[in-house]
Amino acid sequence: MTQSESLPVDGGGAADAPNPATAKGARSPSSVRQLAAASVGNAAEWYDWYAYSFLAIYFADQVFPKGSGNSLVPLLSSFAVFAVGFFMRPVGGLLMGAVADRRGRRAALTVTILLMGGGSLLVALTPTYASVGVLAPVVLVIARLVQGLSVGGEFAASTTFLIESAGPGRRGLFSSFQYVSTTIGQLLASGSAALLAHLLTDKQMGDWGWRVPFLLGALISLVGFWIRQGARETREAARQTGARPTLFEGVRRYPRQSLLICGITAGGTLAYYTWTTYLPTYAQVNANFGKGDALLAGTIPLAFFAVLQPLGGLLSDRVGRKPLLIGFALGFAALAVPLLHAIDGSFVSLLLVQCAGMVLLTGYTSVAAAVNAEVFPARVRAAGIGFPYSLTVALFGGTAPYVGTWFKQSGHPDAFPWYVAGLCLISACVYLVLPETAKRPLDR
């Protein structure tokens, strides 16, 4: 292993000459522009991705046929397609990560946002099952596969772009904007769904209202594309010389680091998608919440969550990544079951449960991008992160709504909270042995 490829987790990689974009610190104008380019485009990406989960309750009956007397079958089918999209994320993480490592971070970010916008437009134009039969779910699956490819590559490229643009001692702060922008996109998706749900009747939402946010998402993606055209390539990608990394070089040369990414991500992604995406639906199917009230109660805590992220990132730059990660994992292992059982059908109960979970979750989300980027050297950083991270998200995060709904359909709704707690406990064990990387120089 060459000096330029030595890993922070194995003893630290020496930093190169300062990046011109970050030499003046995190508050230099160039760094702010880099942060804005990554964040605005990322928000547009995740708006498109999350709109599906918030609106599934409305379009499920339009796209999927009902089972024999079981009203949960269309919803279960829509969440199965949600999970299918996640299983394209490892492919996107690998392919777009390779583009980012070989062609530059900005090139990959440009491709991902165009793919997401196209997928969102296709969802908006998906025909109903009544009009075209089985072609309707086929079109929806294709759209989600395109979006899954996009979002898998987005995390890999934007994570490396953000961390490599950060000034000294600011990687945690810049890392937090990965989930600030993700949450803003989710907030826009949840807010638009909640607004339409209160303005339109359930019939109008089912007939045509659910298509409006997806059309809007396609337009937002074009705005994000335009903003990213003005981004400056990070020095780490632009200065690479010699042979370009191969597609599977990150996994092949760094298997320990790849497994470490999986362990870091497993509990975090399940808790994240449970609390930020599935909880409104969980409240509807387990506590008889109204659709509009559940969406509203799910939207308000997202704003609170976005505000928490920079605070967590700044704290990690001071005290390290491990204390936050361990606090998150042990907190969820102990509290996931009582928190989910505390949802009693009242608006306040769901609001408080979500906010409590958001506080704990910040210990993971605010530092995830920094921790992942600090594991791999610059040469294979994007693809090295993208594949194992996206694979783990697909296995545990993408299946969360499906697993939760399946437990309910099978007559075991109480099993899902224990599933969340158990996986977070496993990740806690990984965090306990994880080397601290906050104060180590980033490999260039």
Side-chain angles (χ1 to χ4, degrees):
M1 185 180 298
T2 66
Q3 176 66 24
S4 64
E5 294 174 338
S6 60
L7 298 183
V9 293
D10 290 332
D16 286 328
N19 186 336
T22 59
K24 295 181 182 180
R27 286 179 285 185
S28 67
S30 59
S31 292
V32 172
R33 285 196 297 269
Q34 294 292 91
L35 193 60
S39 299
V40 174
N42 197 47
E45 281 264 350
W46 289 98
Y47 168 88
D48 289 340
W49 179 256
Y50 280 118
Y52 183 99
S53 63
F54 289 121
L55 294 164
I57 198 78
Y58 293 104
F59 67 73
D61 289 342
Q62 297 288 314
V63 180
F64 299 98
K66 289 186 178 181
S68 54
N70 193 334
S71 61
L72 283 179
V73 168
L75 182 60
L76 199 58
S77 298
S78 67
F79 282 143
V81 176
F82 183 75
V84 166
F86 272 84
F87 278 94
M88 279 299 289
R89 289 181 62 163
V91 179
L94 187 63
L95 294 180
M96 293 298 103
V99 171
D101 288 332
R102 302 177 71 172
R103 300 289 184 181
R105 314 315 191 201
R106 192 180 68 171
L109 290 173
T110 299
V111 174
T112 58
I113 201 164
L114 288 177
L115 286 173
M116 180 59 75
S120 185
L121 181 61
L122 191 56
V123 174
L125 300 178
T126 298
T128 64
Y129 187 87
S131 63
V132 297
V134 72
L135 181 61
V138 169
V139 170
L140 188 64
V141 168
I142 292 173
R144 289 304 287 178
L145 291 177
V146 171
Q147 290 188 317
L149 183 71
S150 169
V151 82
E154 173 69 19
F155 184 87
S158 63
T159 291
T160 54
F161 184 86
L162 276 171
I163 301 307
E164 291 168 356
S165 297
R170 287 293 182 265
R171 294 200 303 265
L173 175 61
F174 270 55
S175 168
S176 70
F177 277 86
Q178 178 74 32
Y179 278 93
V180 170
S181 55
T182 297
T183 304
I184 289 173
Q186 187 175 0
L187 189 60
L188 290 173
S190 177
S192 63
L195 178 63
L196 284 169
H198 281 274
L199 292 177
L200 303 177
T201 65
D202 279 357
K203 185 178 187 306
Q204 289 173 322
M205 281 294 293
D207 288 344
W208 57 270
W210 64 270
R211 299 180 187 273
V212 175
F214 293 108
L215 290 171
L216 180 60
L219 294 176
I220 293 175
S221 293
L222 290 178
V223 175
F225 170 76
W226 173 73
I227 291 173
R228 283 184 169 177
Q229 292 304 293
R232 184 191 50 76
E233 181 60 78
T234 55
R235 182 171 181 261
E236 288 74 11
R239 71 188 292 272
Q240 286 181 2
T241 59
R244 290 173 175 171
T246 60
L247 191 62
F248 289 97
E249 185 171 331
V251 175
R252 179 175 55 82
R253 295 192 62 181
Y254 307 104
R256 176 179 174 272
Q257 285 72 24
S258 297
L259 289 174
L260 196 60
I261 294 289
C262 295
I264 291 169
T265 306
T269 189
L270 177 59
Y272 176 77
Y273 279 99
T274 297
W275 245 257
T276 67
T277 304
Y278 177 57
L279 211 57
T281 303
Y282 178 89
Q284 290 173 50
V285 299
N286 289 280
N288 298 315
F289 253 85
K291 294 177 183 178
D293 286 342
L295 281 173
L296 181 60
T299 299
I300 295 173
L302 289 176
F304 174 61
F305 186 57
V307 172
L308 290 177
Q309 300 313 298
L311 300 179
L314 284 170
L315 183 62
S316 78
D317 284 328
R318 287 181 173 272
V319 304
R321 321 293 188 218
K322 286 184 65 172
L324 274 72
L325 289 170
I326 293 170
F328 145 74
L330 293 181
F332 264 103
L335 298 175
V337 174
L339 282 174
L340 289 176
H341 284 169
I343 301 174
D344 59 11
S346 70
F347 183 88
V348 173
S349 72
L350 180 56
L351 192 64
L352 292 177
V353 165
Q354 280 213 274
C355 288
M358 298 301 192
V359 174
L360 294 174
L361 193 55
T362 297
Y364 167 77
T365 54
S366 64
V367 302
V371 171
N372 289 336
E374 289 160 356
V375 166
F376 280 96
R379 172 180 167 82
V380 295
R381 180 170 290 139
I385 294 170
F387 182 67
Y389 172 85
S390 297
L391 181 62
T392 308
V393 171
L395 290 172
F396 300 107
T399 58
Y402 183 88
V403 171
T405 307
W406 181 82
F407 276 132
K408 172 65 175 180
Q409 185 190 39
S410 302
H412 304 287
D414 290 340
F416 183 71
W418 287 104
Y419 171 60
V420 175
L423 199 59
C424 287
L425 185 59
I426 292 173
S427 280
C429 297
V430 176
Y431 302 150
L432 287 170
V433 300
L434 182 71
E436 180 60 72
T437 56
K439 303 300 182 182
R440 296 181 181 180
L442 185 68
D443 177 87
R444 303 292 188 183

